[in-house]
Amino acid sequence: MRLDKRSLMAIIVSGTVSAGIFWHAQSWHTLGKYAEMTTWIDTGKGILAAVYSIGLMIIFAGSLAILFGTVTDIITRKRD
């Protein structure tokens, strides 16, 4: 099983983005930043909290899709 440079870069970049977003979400939860964002709903800034959360989920899901898709392609690739 031989990796080409393009597949290797896709794995590295999407894995780094996924890990970074996971770390960011976990650290914000630990520090209480998400609790602060939920109080924004009463102040009229609730749309910012919703857009932030939805954007974070979309980027995380996209990077995981690229990561798992590339790994699956490498595993199922026919040997020459």
Side-chain angles (χ1 to χ4, degrees), residues 1-2 73-80:
M1 193 179 324
R2 187 172 168 264
D73 287 345
I74 290 170
I75 291 171
T76 59
R77 186 180 296 157
K78 299 215 188 253
R79 295 187 180 136
D80 295 334

Side-chain angles (χ1 to χ4, degrees), residues 1 3-4 6-15 18 60-78:
M1 193 179 324
L3 288 176
D4 58 338
R6 187 175 189 176
S7 296
L8 184 62
M9 286 305 296
I11 290 172
I12 290 172
V13 170
S14 61
S18 298
F60 186 60
S63 65
L64 282 179
I66 292 170
L67 176 65
F68 291 140
T70 305
V71 170
T72 303
D73 287 345
I74 290 170
I75 291 171
T76 59
R77 186 180 296 157
K78 299 215 188 253

Side-chain angles (χ1 to χ4, degrees), residues 18-78:
S18 298
I21 291 174
F22 183 79
W23 171 83
H24 168 76
Q26 179 61 32
S27 66
W28 269 43
H29 180 71
T30 303
L31 295 174
K33 297 290 185 179
Y34 282 126
E36 289 178 25
M37 285 178 63
T38 56
T39 61
W40 285 3
I41 294 171
D42 295 334
T43 63
K45 296 180 187 177
I47 191 71
L48 293 175
V51 168
Y52 172 79
S53 296
I54 291 171
L56 197 65
M57 287 187 284
I58 288 172
I59 293 170
F60 186 60
S63 65
L64 282 179
I66 292 170
L67 176 65
F68 291 140
T70 305
V71 170
T72 303
D73 287 345
I74 290 170
I75 291 171
T76 59
R77 186 180 296 157
K78 299 215 188 253

